[in-house]
Amino acid sequence: MEKTLDQEVLSAYLIVDEEVVYEITQNSVLSIGRLDNNDIVLDDYKVSREHAVLKFAGTEFMLVDLASTHGTFVNDEPIDRSVVGFGDKIRIVSHELVITQKIPTSVDDSQISSVSKKARSLDRRLKFFGGLNEFALITLVQFLSQEKQSGLLLLELGQKPGPRIYFQDGDIIHVSEGENLAELLTRQNHEQSLFFYFHHETNFPKRTITQSTPNYLIHLCHSQDVRKVQATPASASLIRSTKPLSITTKFEPLPPVKR
């Protein structure tokens, strides 16, 4: 099965259990799960509350399993994340989902539901996802910490998995694949290809980060600043050194000298 489309596609169709058809538009990020706030709702107690996410970029479909209890399968193979092509069979518990480019002839208009891209913002919902092009990553991390959230924050760089950050009661307890986390945290803006997924997690790894979350973030940002300074050419450093210095330290007056 050819996974990547030959050309950009403006819309496609997701057929669920050969009965319900959803029209999905370009640049959509659709949640699949048991809860009613998902874009694709599968009313089945074995389906996780937030089971998987399907991202449609116009030339490629990316399916991401959100650490679900019973897993997500593509063509009977279990996946954590996978590019999906037209005709591939997605299985979630006993439900079969297939992406097609055209509406099946057996489907009438009453069976088609439109799924639009929803505007998502930082609020008190325990699970959300989207692109990090509207706010900095550190804003999201600080929000999760302040709201005492417990769960797993997954980052996706283009089509490649990024850092995985585990939160427990607002504390960052473990980070995996986080080699470039410091660089991502210090970015002021993010390109469209940087996505995040946050969802519940019950099986937490062993705690490896003992610092408080604010101190841990300060340490990461400081280490990135040091790397930037070390990577700056010597000539640029000399130019900066000629600029007026600004004093930020508060000086206390010395006590009078006794004679």
Side-chain angles (χ1 to χ4, degrees), residues 120-176:
R120 302 181 185 272
S121 58
L122 294 181
D123 58 26
R124 290 182 180 272
R125 286 177 295 183
L126 295 181
K127 173 261 179 183
F128 45 89
F129 55 88
L132 279 170
N133 56 310
E134 297 179 358
F135 48 85
L137 173 60
I138 195 168
T139 302
L140 173 61
V141 172
Q142 289 173 331
F143 166 80
L144 295 172
S145 176
Q146 292 167 0
E147 292 295 313
K148 304 296 183 182
Q149 298 290 350
S150 296
L152 173 60
L153 176 64
L154 301 95
L155 299 177
E156 178 181 291
L157 306 169
Q159 304 295 356
K160 298 179 180 180
R164 300 165 64 93
I165 308 171
Y166 291 86
F167 289 82
Q168 196 164 26
D169 297 325
D171 287 334
I172 296 177
I173 64 167
H174 181 72
V175 175
S176 63

Side-chain angles (χ1 to χ4, degrees), residues 221-238:
C221 293
H222 176 69
S223 66
Q224 181 63 19
D225 288 340
V226 170
R227 280 193 287 268
K228 287 181 179 179
V229 171
Q230 292 174 344
T232 302
S235 58
S237 300
L238 290 174

Side-chain angles (χ1 to χ4, degrees), residues 5-256:
L5 309 183
D6 293 334
Q7 58 185 0
E8 191 172 60
V9 177
L10 296 179
S11 64
Y13 300 91
L14 181 66
I15 305 173
V16 180
D17 294 332
E18 299 183 346
E19 293 181 356
V20 183
V21 179
Y22 294 89
E23 181 180 8
I24 50 179
T25 57
Q26 190 182 73
N27 297 323
S28 294
V29 183
L30 309 178
S31 61
I32 305 170
R34 188 177 76 245
L35 294 183
D36 291 340
N37 63 347
N38 286 286
D39 299 303
I40 310 296
V41 179
L42 301 178
D43 188 11
D44 185 326
Y45 76 96
K46 289 185 178 181
V47 175
S48 296
R49 291 173 294 180
E50 296 92 21
H51 198 105
V53 167
L54 178 66
K55 185 173 72 171
F56 178 32
T59 57
E60 193 171 65
F61 300 93
M62 174 63 71
L63 182 67
V64 180
D65 180 79
L66 297 178
S68 63
T69 302
H70 294 284
T72 302
F73 297 78
V74 175
N75 297 328
D76 294 325
E77 293 291 332
I79 61 102
D80 290 324
R81 56 191 302 110
S82 174
V83 176
V84 184
F86 290 129
D88 284 343
K89 293 183 179 180
I90 301 168
R91 181 168 61 83
I92 294 178
V93 188
S94 61
H95 302 276
E96 184 178 279
L97 297 80
V98 179
I99 302 171
T100 66
Q101 190 169 358
K102 296 181 180 180
I103 305 174
T105 55
S106 59
V107 173
D108 57 45
D109 293 341
S110 64
Q111 294 176 272
I112 301 176
S113 301
S114 178
V115 181
S116 59
K117 185 178 180 182
K118 296 180 179 179
R120 302 181 185 272
S121 58
L122 294 181
D123 58 26
R124 290 182 180 272
R125 286 177 295 183
L126 295 181
K127 173 261 179 183
F128 45 89
F129 55 88
L132 279 170
N133 56 310
E134 297 179 358
F135 48 85
L137 173 60
I138 195 168
T139 302
L140 173 61
V141 172
Q142 289 173 331
F143 166 80
L144 295 172
S145 176
Q146 292 167 0
E147 292 295 313
K148 304 296 183 182
Q149 298 290 350
S150 296
L152 173 60
L153 176 64
L154 301 95
L155 299 177
E156 178 181 291
L157 306 169
Q159 304 295 356
K160 298 179 180 180
R164 300 165 64 93
I165 308 171
Y166 291 86
F167 289 82
Q168 196 164 26
D169 297 325
D171 287 334
I172 296 177
I173 64 167
H174 181 72
V175 175
S176 63
E177 301 177 37
E179 293 78 8
N180 60 343
L181 179 57
E183 190 273 328
L184 292 174
L185 286 170
T186 54
R187 284 190 193 178
Q188 294 299 313
N189 298 295
H190 301 279
E191 61 273 14
Q192 292 276 351
S193 61
L194 181 57
F195 279 81
F196 72 88
Y197 311 89
F198 180 78
H199 60 89
H200 287 289
E201 179 64 51
T202 55
N203 296 319
F204 288 98
K206 182 179 179 181
R207 182 164 191 158
T208 58
I209 298 173
T210 57
Q211 293 175 285
S212 68
T213 294
N215 287 343
Y216 177 68
L217 295 176
I218 290 172
H219 170 75
L220 284 180
C221 293
H222 176 69
S223 66
Q224 181 63 19
D225 288 340
V226 170
R227 280 193 287 268
K228 287 181 179 179
V229 171
Q230 292 174 344
T232 302
S235 58
S237 300
L238 290 174
I239 293 173
R240 282 204 309 271
S241 66
T242 61
K243 294 182 179 180
L245 297 176
S246 59
I247 298 175
T248 57
T249 304
K250 182 179 179 181
F251 289 89
E252 298 292 342
L254 295 174

